Amino acid sequence: MSTESVSHQARLAAGFSDAYSYIAGKFSVFSGDRIGQAGLLMLGFIIFLGIFSKPISVTLLDFTIYLQPFELAPYDPSERHRFDDGSLMRLEGPSSEHLLGTTHLGRDVLSQVIVGARASLIVGSLAAFMAVFIGTNVGLTAAYLGGWVDDILMRITDIVYGLPFLPFAIVLVAIMGQSLFWIIFAIVIILWRSTARVIRSQVLSHKNRPYVESAHAIGADRLRIMYIHILPNVLPLAFLYAAFAVGHAVIAEASLSFLGFGPPGMVSWGGMIHTAFTQDAIRQAWWWVFPPGIMIMMFVMSVFFIGRTLEMIVNPELRHRE
Amino acid sequence: MAIPIMNVRMGNLDTSRRRLLKATGAAGVTGLGLSTAGCIETGDDDDGEPEDTPPDDEPELTEPVPELRFVMPTEGSNAERHELSLEAANNFEAVGFEIDRQQFDFGTQVEIALVEHNFDINVIGWGGTPERIDPHTFIHDLHHGSESNIGPGGRNSPGYNNPEYNDIADQQFVSVDMDERQQLVHQAQEILARDQPRTYIANEDDMHAYRHDNFENIVPTMGEGLNSFWNLIEATPLGDRDTLRFGYPTEITSLSPMQDMATPDRQWVRLLFDRLYRVTDEGIPEPWAAADDPTFEDDGETVVVPIREGMTFHDGEPVTAEDVAWSFEYFGEHSVTYGDRMAQVEEVNVTGDHEVTFHLTQAFAPFVANVLAQIYIWPQHIWQDVEDPVEVSIDDEETATGSGPYKFNQWDLEVELRLDAFEDHFSPPQVDRIIRVPGADTSTLVGMLEEDSIDMIGATPSVTAQNRMEDDPEITNVFAPTIAFFKFAYNMRNEVMQDVHLRRALSYCVPKQVYVDDMLGGVGTVTHSPIAEVNEFWHNPDVEQFHFDLDAAEQELANNGYGWDDDGRLHYTEEHDPQMFLDG
Amino acid sequence: MGLRNYVIRRIGQLFVTYFVFLTLLFVLFRLMPGDPTALFVLEGISEEARQQRIEELGFNDPLYIQYFDYMAQLLRGDFGDSIIYRRPTIEIIWDKVLNTLFLMGSALLIAYTIGILGGAMMGWWRGSRFEKAGIVGVLIARSSPEFWIGIILLTVFSFQLGWFPSAGMRSVGEAMELGLMYYLNTDFVRHLILPMLTGAIYFTATPALLMRNTMLDVLDEDYIEIKKAEGLPERRILYHHAARNSILPVVTVVAIVVGAAMGGSVIIETVFNWDGMGRAIVQSVTRRDFPLMMAMFFIMGSIVIFMNFVADLAYVYLDPRVEYD
């Protein structure tokens, strides 16, 4: 279990540091682009919420190390609050103690909104990273090797295109059980395909360029050419797709959660709206429905805004299909 | 399969009250977000108070108690039970159990509980249809240890097989003397309470709603609320209305009693087809298409039923004693749902112009309620040549020909079902037409009721909607108690669950009152027995009660061969001597 | 390789894709836990009757026989009987398919009309306030999950203003019209407007952004400058020359949008309780009604696969720069 978790963390860290160095290198494009700046600001805010919403601790044997001891959420999001007479604070509107009111079970909405950032961040970043990782490799391999490899990989992509996301995810969750892992898995399965196609066509255009031919000439092996020579040239595009993929993954997670198939045991924004919807509170409890909706919108908007700005430098002619 | 993403705990689980919890790593699936809020219930007040230090003579610990597989509904499939399950799981962990939380949708959960038996703890409720007012189903089918009850597809999901109990469950259904039978049923409940094969949690009562500006004379009944037969016949429209628009969250699956049927199906089938008797609110069968109570002869092995005169089918043909006798045989032969009810009937004879006689293999106490009041009277002239009625859909006027108070008009699947009043019936309905609207979910129906698109809802809306409708000047909420009950089942096929003390300890961890007050908004009744309190005649109020009490749970364990290690994890001790059942 | 060869090869691939897709569906549904007959145990069906039902449904046959039966059935266009309703599946889903096509079709129509016009204008007035606002607006719409748009529309137009009904497809008691009149009446349209708008808002972004991008390319072409120099009215250049030449890529992408719309119908139909395929898929999964599930996936998947096929063909046909590889 520990080795497994280390590898997850390492992959995550690697993903973030790559993305960071890439974005940092291109940061100059954000100056003078208001939309991009707004995106960065909103994303920063949500990452801030995600990190500081609740403490993060690591327990090693008997020691508990707090990586992050702060707690922004005013209450435990699952605590049921009561009035002094012991009755449940059912659907109370905003007050000084509960700035965004309470849910039908007397839970603090603000705390749920803050803590919910973490679910979206985790699902969004993990799913996007994995989807782009798979998509890039598939696209690269298919285009570079060509022939039957290309045929098979592209037919698989076609088949995956035939799976409508939500129905497929619902079936998958019904088969494998409702868990965070399988939800991310379902999102990844659906998201990698668009990256694969775009990377493939990009690699195709690079395949016959002089620098690749000269690498051939000096006898570089195929793996080396693929990953050392070609990959760096399509990586910016991959990162751009990662930005969009985060947005799509967040929407996908929220939609699944809204249908009641979200990750169990986690407070998520889509899940909050699901509860409000099924508990019939959307007619009256605006304080419960609107904040998580706005947060989802803001998160997705932020990555789309950033993506749009990056797009201008990565590939001005890019048409993203989807 | 719960796959931990990281070993990082994100969330302050340390807020939970118990020292024991700290060690269980109770981070749920990932420990993200859902931390264990303390339970709020009276009778538990041990915050901060140091746990008793173990006395020196405490027995040696042996193996840890294995992890328990707790199969619960997802939030999407049942939000209220999901909440309770999570809270109970936290409590189980608080007393030292290790819990594997498994969330499934309803279909999978039912299969796990009733067919695969792949669980330690499972969360399912049993519906409270009128024939279950007679205690036979809940006492015998759910708890008797016969092979057909315990095996796959049987209804004794815990696999409870207590010889002492089996005897009583067997005796109660041959006992024709009501008082004697009542004694037996009470005794059975005592044993169940003692042994806790299930934790009986609550009766989830109904709170239905209707527009009182459109209808009056509402007749809700126990367990069915506004879906009751009497209500659909007696409800009287106001003003110049002539149609009752009735909302229910799911579509009926079939109007044919030959096919598998769900509860809502029966509620509409019985409007089309008459039965000899109808079970009243008190669980007593009373004559309907029969002219009078049956007469029992030969110690209850022969039952003579007089048939009401002057009845006709919707197509104008008279209802004869031959139709009645033929129907019982026909159902016994073909019906998926009702077929086995005829198992103890040797033969059915027409013994007069308006008289039918049943010969039974042995006396059967619930015969009237469970057989005569269940099987429908069908027109022999329409069905006599149909070889396999199971394959025939009832979806037009001919196939739906019965003698009931309503006749078929049209059925547009998942849109509307329309029935028209049958004016020649001996008890015709108050409306000319009834339209059944399947609404996909209850909150949609609430919206339709508020917008005056429907007149009544036959399901319990969310607490939020109930409160909102209470303030609506045109809508009345209607309370109806139920005998349906909701419970945790403990799988006694697994060794770990075979110890009665472990089961009893688990039962002390279930916050029943919190469930009723918070999750159900007060529309429910805490129960400690499978027979509901409202089922007055059969309910035994004196059974042992399990109220939420973690100290009692620990006590029960500590006294019976369990102990805790330094991390608070529950272990067996050398004194552990598992006991399946408690002696009376 | 010529266009003809490409098309033939592509058709061959279509069949392979289809075959694998169907096999995948079979595997998925066989893996699925939850036995539809178990639900009836709660209602009191005996074990004997349950076993008989399982036998009838063919769940006891060896897997390969089930697989061949399944493929043969699909080839005959026979989806079997619904387990829950015991009626031919096709009878049950036909209306739902139409309902979904009506809803998503009208939504996409609006999304495309607005998207193309708006995108053309954004491209035309490049760098203007209008363009900026347009892009932000489109991105905001694209960032809002369908259920969120739906809830906002419901809150404003149904709960607050009371202009439109909050759910369903028609008023109770109005449902018995048949044929085309089933759809062509004001009651139906009143119910249609909010869910249609939800879809329209969500799907406007793709055509709008794409249209704008191609417009920018086209506007850089020399002949536009020439037309301007000729003194043609701006509006005429915009609609007759620039927009007309930019529209092709937008059209080819329809296929992918249709695919997304199929999946998205689940959400919209849930929010508005629309009696279509999306909602029915969720229901049939919960109830483990395998034949119904299968038929629904088959139809949705077929639409998407076929549209992708058309898109690929349209793409090479319309854009000579693409290699037929």
Side-chain angles (χ1 to χ4, degrees):
Chain A
M1 164 127 164
S2 59
T3 50
E4 182 192 326
S5 57
V6 165
S7 76
H8 277 300
Q9 286 168 43
R11 273 160 58 188
L12 195 67
F16 276 133
S17 86
D18 283 2
Y20 175 76
S21 58
Y22 171 72
I23 290 172
K26 305 285 185 182
F27 228 84
S28 53
V29 293
F30 285 98
S31 62
D33 184 64
R34 287 255 190 81
I35 295 181
Q37 287 168 356
L40 283 178
L41 204 68
M42 289 190 289
L43 185 63
F45 174 62
I46 284 163
I47 292 178
F48 173 78
L49 283 187
I51 292 176
F52 294 103
S53 57
K54 293 183 106 191
I56 302 175
S57 63
V58 182
T59 306
L60 292 169
L61 302 173
D62 281 345
F63 301 100
T64 300
I65 302 163
Y66 279 92
L67 299 177
Q68 190 288 102
F70 300 102
E71 180 160 22
L72 278 179
Y75 303 97
D76 179 327
S78 62
E79 184 185 346
R80 295 193 292 270
H81 296 274
R82 285 163 197 281
F83 290 112
D84 292 340
D85 66 355
S87 63
L88 209 57
M89 285 187 162
R90 239 181 243 289
L91 277 195
E92 290 296 319
S95 64
S96 54
E97 279 130 80
H98 301 281
L99 291 177
L100 290 178
T102 59
T103 72
H104 71 303
L105 286 178
R107 290 174 177 155
D108 184 53
V109 173
L110 179 64
S111 302
Q112 294 199 343
V113 169
I114 292 175
V115 171
R118 203 169 269 181
S120 293
L121 273 173
I122 289 178
V123 174
S125 54
L126 278 182
F129 175 73
M130 288 194 264
V132 171
F133 181 81
I134 296 173
T136 307
N137 279 297
V138 169
L140 187 62
T141 314
Y144 185 72
L145 297 181
W148 60 270
V149 177
D150 184 29
D151 256 354
I152 290 180
L153 288 176
M154 284 302 106
R155 291 300 72 74
I156 293 177
T157 319
D158 279 353
I159 291 160
V160 175
Y161 261 103
L163 295 173
F165 169 65
L166 283 170
F168 167 73
I170 291 165
V171 169
L172 190 76
V173 164
I175 295 173
M176 307 310 302
Q178 202 162 333
S179 76
L180 182 63
F181 178 87
W182 289 110
I183 287 164
I184 292 181
F185 182 85
I187 296 175
V188 169
I189 289 277
I190 300 300
L191 278 184
W192 67 268
R193 58 192 189 187
S194 48
T195 316
R197 278 196 175 177
V198 173
I199 295 289
R200 175 176 170 276
S201 63
Q202 188 83 352
V203 172
L204 278 180
S205 79
H206 278 270
K207 198 173 156 185
N208 298 321
R209 296 210 182 157
Y211 75 91
V212 177
E213 311 222 320
S214 61
H216 266 298
I218 61 168
D221 64 25
R222 291 202 283 189
L223 264 185
R224 196 177 162 77
I225 295 176
M226 271 166 66
Y227 286 97
I228 305 290
H229 296 273
I230 300 182
L231 182 64
N233 290 298
V234 295
L235 214 49
L237 190 62
F239 279 118
L240 174 64
Y241 263 70
F244 291 126
V246 171
H248 293 304
V250 169
I251 289 189
E253 185 270 328
S255 300
L256 262 184
S257 297
F258 171 75
L259 290 173
F261 297 94
M266 278 173 108
V267 179
S268 80
W269 295 327
M272 286 176 72
I273 298 182
H274 164 77
T275 311
F277 188 76
T278 51
Q279 292 301 323
D280 223 331
I282 58 165
R283 277 168 194 263
Q284 52 206 101
W286 54 267
W287 59 86
W288 183 7
V289 183
F290 282 70
I294 291 171
M295 294 302 284
I296 297 172
M297 204 166 81
M298 217 165 87
F299 190 3
V300 181
M301 238 156 71
S302 71
V303 289
F304 281 177
F305 282 3
I306 293 171
R308 202 195 72 92
T309 307
L310 295 180
E311 191 172 8
M312 292 194 294
I313 38 158
V314 170
N315 185 352
E317 291 165 47
L318 187 83
R319 325 236 182 286
H320 49 100
R321 307 170 79 190
E322 204 174 37
Chain B
M1 197 168 29
I3 296 190
I5 289 277
M6 303 172 219
N7 204 9
V8 181
R9 189 183 291 168
M10 300 176 161
N12 54 342
L13 286 160
D14 306 332
T15 54
S16 57
R17 307 168 293 120
R18 295 223 150 214
R19 73 179 158 101
L20 301 166
L21 184 55
K22 212 172 91 193
T24 56
V29 179
T30 54
L32 303 161
L34 210 119
S35 96
T36 48
C39 307
I40 309 116
E41 192 164 11
T42 49
D44 180 66
D45 53 352
D46 60 340
D47 294 62
E49 163 189 318
E51 298 292 327
D52 329 62
T53 37
D56 293 334
D57 59 341
E58 186 150 294
E60 256 338 91
L61 297 182
T62 57
E63 296 282 286
V65 175
E67 184 179 63
L68 303 182
R69 181 177 152 93
F70 188 174
V71 175
M72 57 178 80
T74 60
E75 199 204 336
S77 101
N78 190 321
E80 292 77 23
R81 292 178 186 177
H82 172 80
E83 285 289 341
L84 177 75
S85 306
L86 288 181
E87 191 148 328
N90 291 340
N91 294 337
F92 295 156
E93 282 173 342
V95 296
F97 287 98
E98 199 119 298
I99 301 294
D100 172 19
R101 294 166 178 78
Q102 296 275 320
Q103 306 193 5
F104 291 103
D105 64 1
F106 188 63
T108 315
Q109 225 204 322
V110 171
E111 192 187 12
I112 289 173
L114 297 172
V115 182
E116 286 180 352
H117 299 142
N118 177 20
F119 66 96
D120 292 309
I121 308 169
N122 197 330
V123 182
I124 280 189
W126 285 94
T129 45
E131 79 268 15
R132 291 174 181 172
I133 296 174
D134 184 285
H136 183 68
T137 308
F138 287 164
I139 292 295
H140 187 275
D141 296 359
L142 264 62
H143 295 96
H144 187 282
S146 70
E147 185 46 40
S148 64
N149 287 341
I150 288 185
R155 290 189 270 178
N156 182 348
S157 56
Y160 178 65
N161 189 1
N162 180 349
E164 183 197 354
Y165 181 88
N166 291 349
D167 285 346
I168 293 172
D170 280 335
Q171 281 169 34
Q172 62 76 28
F173 79 82
V174 287
S175 156
V176 193
D177 179 74
M178 286 285 265
D179 290 331
E180 189 189 307
R181 188 162 177 235
Q182 186 193 34
Q183 276 308 312
L184 291 165
V185 170
H186 278 197
Q187 219 179 324
Q189 292 173 66
E190 260 166 48
I191 300 177
L192 291 178
R194 222 160 59 203
D195 285 348
Q196 293 288 304
R198 296 171 157 117
T199 300
Y200 308 97
I201 298 169
N203 306 107
E204 297 168 329
D205 297 325
D206 292 316
M207 183 69 94
H208 297 173
Y210 74 103
R211 290 189 71 93
H212 59 245
D213 56 337
N214 293 352
F215 275 86
E216 63 177 8
N217 226 356
I218 297 304
V219 197
T221 63
M222 176 164 83
E224 297 197 289
L226 295 183
N227 298 300
S228 87
F229 180 72
W230 312 109
N231 184 48
L232 297 184
I233 294 194
E234 300 291 328
T236 313
L238 293 167
D240 52 1
R241 303 180 165 273
D242 55 8
T243 304
L244 169 58
R245 300 164 300 173
F246 192 92
Y248 192 86
T250 54
E251 177 61 297
I252 50 185
T253 60
S254 161
L255 280 177
S256 170
M258 290 297 168
Q259 303 178 345
D260 331 286
M261 281 204 303
T263 306
D265 304 3
R266 295 169 216 241
Q267 286 164 343
W268 288 74
V269 166
R270 66 193 182 191
L271 299 177
L272 293 171
F273 305 105
D274 280 325
R275 300 189 271 203
L276 289 175
Y277 295 87
R278 298 229 174 242
V279 180
T280 64
D281 223 7
E282 286 81 44
I284 312 298
E286 65 172 40
W288 181 250
D292 202 347
D293 286 333
T295 25
F296 292 92
E297 294 162 10
D298 307 331
D299 291 334
E301 285 180 19
T302 303
V303 184
V304 182
V305 181
I307 311 291
R308 186 187 283 267
E309 298 182 25
M311 288 171 62
T312 62
F313 288 109
H314 299 154
D315 61 1
E317 296 288 324
V319 177
T320 64
E322 280 81 9
D323 282 312
V324 176
W326 173 86
S327 295
F328 276 85
E329 281 167 356
Y330 197 58
F331 272 73
E333 199 179 328
H334 297 290
S335 172
V336 177
T337 308
Y338 297 106
D340 52 321
R341 286 173 197 268
M342 288 292 288
Q344 69 273 57
V345 178
E346 221 160 46
E347 61 180 342
V348 192
N349 297 323
V350 176
T351 45
D353 280 352
H354 296 284
E355 188 184 277
V356 174
T357 304
F358 297 83
H359 297 282
L360 313 186
T361 49
Q362 63 167 339
F364 181 56
F367 183 68
V368 182
N370 282 13
V371 182
L372 296 186
Q374 300 302 323
I375 288 177
Y376 300 92
I377 300 168
W378 271 22
Q380 188 181 2
H381 61 275
I382 291 180
W383 291 92
Q384 58 192 351
D385 298 326
V386 178
E387 298 244 322
D388 191 359
V390 180
E391 291 302 317
V392 181
S393 287
I394 293 199
D395 54 7
D396 60 23
E397 270 173 54
E398 193 192 358
T399 48
T401 303
S403 59
Y406 283 97
K407 57 184 192 221
F408 187 88
N409 177 310
Q410 194 168 343
W411 187 10
D412 201 352
L413 198 70
E414 294 189 355
V415 181
E416 284 181 15
L417 168 66
R418 291 185 181 193
L419 306 181
D420 290 337
F422 179 45
E423 299 299 343
D424 296 339
H425 196 266
F426 57 85
S427 173
Q430 300 295 315
V431 286
D432 293 346
R433 169 172 289 177
I434 185 165
I435 301 181
R436 185 184 193 278
V437 183
D441 57 45
T442 313
S443 57
T444 306
L445 292 172
V446 170
M448 292 173 83
L449 190 74
E450 288 172 330
E451 287 162 18
D452 199 5
S453 305
I454 53 174
D455 303 306
M456 275 177 211
I457 301 180
T460 305
S462 69
V463 178
T464 313
Q466 284 174 28
N467 293 342
R468 194 172 67 230
M469 288 192 293
E470 209 159 281
D471 298 335
D472 192 311
E474 277 144 359
I475 295 176
T476 303
N477 288 333
V478 183
F479 175 82
T482 183
I483 57 160
F485 71 96
F486 155 59
K487 45 71 185 169
F488 289 173
Y490 302 125
N491 190 355
M492 296 173 64
R493 295 168 192 85
N494 300 349
E495 206 188 331
V496 56
M497 302 308 288
Q498 280 172 2
D499 185 16
V500 63
H501 298 293
L502 180 138
R503 298 194 303 271
R504 290 166 58 90
L506 291 175
S507 286
Y508 278 121
C509 299
V510 184
K512 299 178 182 181
Q513 194 64 48
V514 165
Y515 181 65
V516 169
D517 290 347
D518 289 2
M519 285 77 166
L520 300 182
V523 185
T525 315
V526 166
T527 188
H528 304 280
S529 155
I531 308 294
E533 203 179 312
V534 288
N535 198 353
E536 278 172 37
F537 185 76
W538 301 112
H539 173 73
N540 182 349
D542 301 321
V543 300
E544 188 177 356
Q545 304 198 342
F546 287 79
H547 292 284
F548 175 70
D549 186 346
L550 293 187
D551 290 334
E554 285 177 353
Q555 211 58 55
E556 181 88 30
L557 293 166
N559 293 343
N560 294 285
Y562 295 85
W564 290 266
D565 63 19
D566 293 342
D567 292 333
R569 171 92 203 264
L570 192 65
H571 284 250
Y572 297 112
T573 66
E574 55 193 0
E575 287 175 5
H576 180 65
D577 175 26
Q579 201 183 344
M580 263 230 196
F581 316 108
L582 277 191
D583 302 324
Chain C
M1 214 188 305
L3 182 60
R4 171 184 300 227
N5 278 347
Y6 174 77
V7 171
I8 290 173
R9 225 180 96 193
R10 192 62 188 78
I11 289 176
Q13 286 168 355
L14 178 72
F15 280 106
V16 176
T17 310
Y18 226 87
F19 173 76
V20 179
F21 173 72
L22 294 181
T23 307
L24 191 73
L25 281 190
F26 177 80
V27 174
L28 274 183
F29 291 156
R30 279 309 99 165
L31 280 177
M32 201 167 208
D35 162 355
T37 62
L39 291 176
F40 290 107
V41 177
L42 284 180
E43 302 287 348
I45 177 182
S46 69
E47 176 59 9
E48 213 174 306
R50 195 178 73 87
Q51 286 304 337
Q52 194 187 332
R53 189 87 175 94
I54 290 176
E55 189 65 40
E56 244 174 74
L57 293 169
F59 290 163
N60 282 346
D61 296 338
L63 268 186
Y64 70 94
I65 291 193
Q66 289 189 41
Y67 178 69
F68 286 122
D69 281 352
Y70 156 82
M71 281 294 187
Q73 259 194 357
L74 288 184
L75 278 181
R76 289 196 307 269
D78 169 12
F79 297 111
D81 286 0
S82 152
I83 294 176
I84 300 292
Y85 292 126
R86 289 204 186 223
R87 300 184 184 196
T89 302
I90 201 79
E91 215 175 83
I92 298 172
I93 62 173
W94 179 238
D95 283 341
K96 298 183 194 305
V97 174
L98 281 185
N99 293 343
T100 295
L101 290 181
F102 238 95
L103 171 62
M104 298 319 280
S106 56
L108 288 183
L109 201 67
I110 294 185
Y112 258 73
T113 314
I114 296 176
I116 288 176
L117 290 179
M121 292 196 287
M122 281 194 281
W124 186 255
W125 288 301
R126 164 177 17 186
S128 69
R129 273 235 178 108
F130 173 82
E131 192 211 4
K132 277 239 169 78
I135 287 184
V136 172
V138 159
L139 284 180
I140 290 178
R142 187 70 183 82
S143 306
S144 314
E146 288 139 304
F147 63 85
W148 171 238
I149 301 174
I151 285 176
I152 291 177
L153 292 181
L154 269 181
T155 306
V156 176
F157 295 105
S158 185
F159 304 155
Q160 294 300 321
L161 298 172
W163 291 355
F164 300 104
S166 62
M169 289 181 46
R170 39 179 79 72
S171 306
V172 174
E174 304 260 323
M176 298 300 166
E177 310 267 358
L178 292 174
L180 253 194
M181 288 316 289
Y182 207 86
Y183 298 103
L184 299 179
N185 61 71
T186 49
D187 185 56
F188 176 78
V189 173
R190 253 168 53 82
H191 284 80
L192 176 68
I193 286 179
L194 290 186
M196 178 182 72
L197 269 183
T198 305
I201 292 174
Y202 186 71
F203 288 108
T204 303
T206 310
L209 291 178
L210 200 54
M211 187 68 191
R212 169 187 163 273
N213 290 352
T214 27
M215 272 294 278
L216 292 183
D217 292 348
V218 169
L219 287 175
D220 283 341
E221 310 262 341
D222 296 340
Y223 71 95
I224 298 288
E225 290 303 319
I226 297 170
K227 296 285 175 198
K228 275 187 183 164
E230 281 172 2
L232 278 180
E234 282 213 347
R235 181 169 296 191
R236 200 178 154 78
I237 304 177
L238 168 60
Y239 290 117
H240 282 246
H241 299 279
R244 188 174 278 186
N245 285 310
S246 310
I247 222 163
L248 294 181
V250 185
V251 173
T252 58
V253 99
V254 166
I256 284 137
V257 175
V258 167
M262 284 291 127
S265 66
V266 176
I267 295 274
I268 299 184
E269 289 173 7
T270 303
V271 174
F272 292 96
N273 194 19
W274 190 264
D275 182 28
M277 267 196 288
R279 212 190 65 182
I281 275 199
V282 181
Q283 263 181 20
S284 59
V285 171
T286 334
R287 294 185 191 167
R288 298 292 186 273
D289 196 338
F290 294 109
L292 210 58
M293 239 189 285
M294 190 68 87
M296 226 81 81
F297 266 86
F298 176 79
I299 291 173
M300 269 202 182
S302 301
I303 293 176
V304 179
I305 292 177
F306 184 72
M307 289 305 279
N308 272 300
F309 171 72
V310 172
D312 275 5
L313 291 193
Y315 201 59
V316 287
Y317 183 71
L318 296 173
D319 188 348
R321 285 172 297 184
V322 171
E323 289 179 49
Y324 315 124
D325 65 334

